[in-house]
Amino acid sequence: MTPAPRPLSLVLCLLLLTTACTAIEPQPAEPAGTSASSIGAELAKVKVVAARPKVKGYGRECGKEGACSFGPAWSDNHAGVGGHDGCDTRNNVLAKQLTEVTYKPGTRQCVVMSGKLLDPYTGRTIEFRKAAAGKVQIDHLYPLARAWDLGASTWPAQRRVDFANDQADNLLAVDGATNASKSDQGPGEWLPLNKSFRCTYVARYLHVAAKYKLPITRDDQKAAQLLAPTCH
């Protein structure tokens, strides 16, 4: 008698003999490609507006005087990668991007104390120490204030929290001073000093815009179109 075929889940477990047989977690979507064709494909997905409007009511800070437009900074209460894992978003991003990472004892590896960052925006290596945490900041590639003006002001509160903590696509650990100079600008106004990262930056900006159905400005579009032929 021919034996009955084994269930797929059992086959997978047998293939993973050295690990426990647990449910396979869904993986985050692959980041946007950085080639000219990938940038062109992302451009085709987004709406283009003449210019960024100014919408009242935005405020990042929470508390009595803050608008708390995107929820408490670095909330763990979000639906994306790293959400509800017991660690805040900022530390999750640092742990992912830094090398030679050390953690505060007793925090279940949730508080990064030190490490090295190869800063994508400048190309420099930065020594991170929690005592001088401002040297490394977490950038929103599609900035929060910009998103607010271009449509996020009409979103439900939880969607804004999810956007602000989107570790998979919208967050990047970078040089603090450079992040401050970038502010809430888009590719039409600002590009990284590190030319080798410009294609990645623009591709990811467009990918986030498409993912959240946020428009880009005509200047953003022009900048992407000019850059694309140099991207491989």
Side-chain angles (χ1 to χ4, degrees), residues 177-197:
T178 301
N179 186 44
S181 69
K182 173 180 179 276
S183 186
D184 58 358
Q185 299 177 96
E189 305 142 320
W190 183 91
L191 288 171
L193 178 65
N194 180 13
K195 292 182 178 180
S196 67
F197 192 73

Side-chain angles (χ1 to χ4, degrees), residues 22-29 79-82:
T22 57
I24 298 175
E25 294 293 328
Q27 296 300 305
V81 173

